[in-house]
Amino acid sequence: MSPERDDDPLSWAGDDDPTLQTSRSDAAGETRSPKQARSPRRSDDAAPAQPRQSGSVMLVVMGVLGGIYLLYTIGWALNIGRDTYSVVSPIDQIMYTVGLWLAAAAPPLWFAASLWFTRGHVKSRTVWLVIGAVMLIPWPFVIGGM
Protein backbone atom coordinates (compact mmCIF):
# COMPACT_ATOMS: atom_id res chain seq x y z
CA MET A 1 0.00 0.00 0.00
CA SER A 2 1.14 3.47 -0.69
CA PRO A 3 1.67 5.94 2.17
CA GLU A 4 -1.10 8.04 0.68
CA ARG A 5 -3.61 5.17 1.15
CA ASP A 6 -2.50 4.65 4.76
CA ASP A 7 -3.57 8.19 5.63
CA ASP A 8 -7.03 7.86 4.08
CA PRO A 9 -8.84 6.95 7.33
CA LEU A 10 -7.32 10.02 8.97
CA SER A 11 -8.51 12.57 6.43
CA TRP A 12 -11.77 13.97 5.15
CA ALA A 13 -12.77 14.42 1.54
CA GLY A 14 -11.63 17.85 0.44
CA ASP A 15 -8.68 18.10 2.84
CA ASP A 16 -6.37 18.60 -0.12
CA ASP A 17 -8.17 21.79 -1.14
CA PRO A 18 -5.44 24.49 -1.34
CA THR A 19 -7.84 27.21 -0.23
CA LEU A 20 -8.20 25.49 3.14
CA GLN A 21 -4.47 25.21 3.79
CA THR A 22 -3.48 27.27 6.82
CA SER A 23 -0.47 26.97 9.04
CA ARG A 24 -0.76 25.98 12.69
CA SER A 25 1.68 26.43 15.51
CA ASP A 26 2.38 23.48 17.73
CA ALA A 27 3.57 23.53 21.33
CA ALA A 28 7.23 23.83 20.34
CA GLY A 29 6.56 27.08 18.49
CA GLU A 30 7.31 25.83 15.01
CA THR A 31 4.84 26.30 12.19
CA ARG A 32 3.45 23.17 10.57
CA SER A 33 0.90 22.68 7.84
CA PRO A 34 -2.36 20.86 8.67
CA LYS A 35 -1.13 17.67 7.02
CA GLN A 36 2.08 17.83 9.06
CA ALA A 37 0.09 18.58 12.20
CA ARG A 38 -1.93 15.39 11.67
CA SER A 39 1.13 13.25 11.05
CA PRO A 40 3.04 12.01 14.05
CA ARG A 41 6.41 13.56 14.85
CA ARG A 42 9.54 11.75 13.88
CA SER A 43 11.78 10.43 16.61
CA ASP A 44 14.48 12.99 15.80
CA ASP A 45 12.07 15.88 16.60
CA ALA A 46 12.50 17.43 20.02
CA ALA A 47 10.03 15.87 22.42
CA PRO A 48 8.88 17.71 25.53
CA ALA A 49 10.85 16.75 28.61
CA GLN A 50 9.13 14.26 30.87
CA PRO A 51 9.27 14.89 34.62
CA ARG A 52 12.00 12.80 36.17
CA GLN A 53 10.94 9.83 38.22
CA SER A 54 12.64 9.37 41.55
CA GLY A 55 14.69 6.21 41.82
CA SER A 56 14.81 3.45 44.38
CA VAL A 57 17.40 5.27 46.49
CA MET A 58 15.07 8.24 46.75
CA LEU A 59 12.24 5.91 47.70
CA VAL A 60 14.33 4.53 50.57
CA VAL A 61 15.29 8.06 51.68
CA MET A 62 11.62 9.10 51.65
CA GLY A 63 10.72 6.02 53.68
CA VAL A 64 13.42 6.75 56.26
CA LEU A 65 12.39 10.40 56.54
CA GLY A 66 8.73 9.38 56.80
CA GLY A 67 9.66 7.02 59.65
CA ILE A 68 11.58 9.82 61.38
CA TYR A 69 8.56 12.11 61.13
CA LEU A 70 6.34 9.34 62.51
CA LEU A 71 8.70 8.89 65.47
CA TYR A 72 8.68 12.65 66.03
CA THR A 73 4.89 12.64 66.12
CA ILE A 74 4.92 9.81 68.65
CA GLY A 75 7.54 11.65 70.72
CA TRP A 76 5.47 14.83 70.83
CA ALA A 77 2.31 12.84 71.69
CA LEU A 78 4.12 11.10 74.56
CA ASN A 79 5.31 14.50 75.75
CA ILE A 80 1.70 15.69 75.88
CA GLY A 81 0.73 12.68 77.96
CA ARG A 82 3.44 13.13 80.59
CA ASP A 83 3.31 16.92 80.77
CA THR A 84 2.77 18.13 84.35
CA TYR A 85 3.15 21.85 83.73
CA SER A 86 0.19 23.88 84.96
CA VAL A 87 -0.65 27.52 84.63
CA VAL A 88 -2.93 29.69 86.72
CA SER A 89 -5.01 31.48 84.13
CA PRO A 90 -7.56 29.49 82.11
CA ILE A 91 -6.58 31.38 78.93
CA ASP A 92 -2.94 30.49 79.53
CA GLN A 93 -3.92 26.85 80.03
CA ILE A 94 -5.90 26.79 76.78
CA MET A 95 -3.09 28.41 74.84
CA TYR A 96 -0.52 26.01 76.31
CA THR A 97 -2.66 22.97 75.46
CA VAL A 98 -3.26 24.20 71.90
CA GLY A 99 0.49 24.74 71.53
CA LEU A 100 1.22 21.18 72.66
CA TRP A 101 -1.26 19.72 70.19
CA LEU A 102 0.09 21.86 67.35
CA ALA A 103 3.59 20.67 68.24
CA ALA A 104 2.38 17.07 67.93
CA ALA A 105 0.68 17.85 64.61
CA ALA A 106 3.66 19.71 63.14
CA PRO A 107 5.72 16.69 61.91
CA PRO A 108 2.98 15.10 59.77
CA LEU A 109 1.89 18.52 58.51
CA TRP A 110 5.47 19.41 57.54
CA PHE A 111 5.92 16.06 55.80
CA ALA A 112 2.66 16.43 53.85
CA ALA A 113 3.37 20.07 52.95
CA SER A 114 6.89 19.19 51.77
CA LEU A 115 5.51 16.46 49.52
CA TRP A 116 2.72 18.64 48.20
CA PHE A 117 4.60 21.88 47.50
CA THR A 118 7.71 20.29 46.01
CA ARG A 119 6.07 18.00 43.46
CA GLY A 120 8.48 17.27 40.64
CA HIS A 121 11.49 18.78 42.44
CA VAL A 122 13.29 15.84 44.03
CA LYS A 123 16.27 17.79 45.39
CA SER A 124 14.23 20.56 46.97
CA ARG A 125 11.85 17.98 48.47
CA THR A 126 14.75 16.22 50.13
CA VAL A 127 16.21 19.49 51.40
CA TRP A 128 12.91 20.61 52.93
CA LEU A 129 12.32 17.22 54.55
CA VAL A 130 15.80 17.26 56.10
CA ILE A 131 15.27 20.84 57.34
CA GLY A 132 12.01 19.74 58.95
CA ALA A 133 13.66 16.69 60.49
CA VAL A 134 16.19 18.96 62.18
CA MET A 135 13.71 21.66 63.23
CA LEU A 136 10.95 19.42 64.61
CA ILE A 137 12.96 17.26 67.02
CA PRO A 138 10.81 16.68 70.13
CA TRP A 139 13.37 18.13 72.57
CA PRO A 140 11.25 17.66 75.71
CA PHE A 141 11.06 13.95 74.91
CA VAL A 142 14.75 13.67 73.96
CA ILE A 143 15.99 15.52 77.05
CA GLY A 144 13.78 13.47 79.33
CA GLY A 145 11.13 15.75 80.74
CA MET A 146 10.31 19.30 81.58
Side-chain angles (χ1 to χ4, degrees):
M1 278 184 119
S2 69
E4 196 64 39
R5 293 291 298 160
D6 289 339
D7 289 335
D8 280 348
L10 302 175
S11 63
W12 293 88
D15 277 350
D16 297 333
D17 186 7
T19 60
L20 298 176
Q21 296 292 329
T22 60
S23 62
R24 295 184 189 161
S25 297
D26 63 354
E30 62 187 35
T31 304
R32 300 173 77 191
S33 69
K35 189 156 193 130
Q36 289 173 334
R38 279 195 313 267
S39 66
R41 291 178 165 247
R42 295 187 317 259
S43 62
D44 61 341
D45 288 342
Q50 296 288 332
R52 253 184 36 184
Q53 296 286 329
S54 55
S56 59
V57 172
M58 195 61 207
L59 182 64
V60 170
V61 168
M62 297 297 281
V64 168
L65 285 171
I68 288 172
Y69 279 94
L70 179 64
L71 289 174
Y72 284 2
T73 304
I74 293 170
W76 280 110
L78 290 175
N79 183 49
I80 291 172
R82 68 180 187 181
D83 184 30
T84 58
Y85 182 75
S86 63
V87 292
V88 179
S89 170
I91 300 221
D92 291 343
Q93 182 67 35
I94 291 170
M95 295 299 288
Y96 185 74
T97 304
V98 167
L100 283 177
W101 284 104
L102 287 176
L109 289 176
W110 185 285
F111 187 77
S114 296
L115 292 180
W116 180 262
F117 291 121
T118 59
R119 288 176 290 184
H121 304 285
V122 178
K123 288 181 183 178
S124 63
R125 175 181 292 168
T126 306
V127 168
W128 281 109
L129 286 174
V130 169
I131 289 171
V134 171
M135 285 179 39
L136 298 172
I137 295 174
W139 286 113
F141 181 76
V142 172
I143 293 172
M146 293 171 121

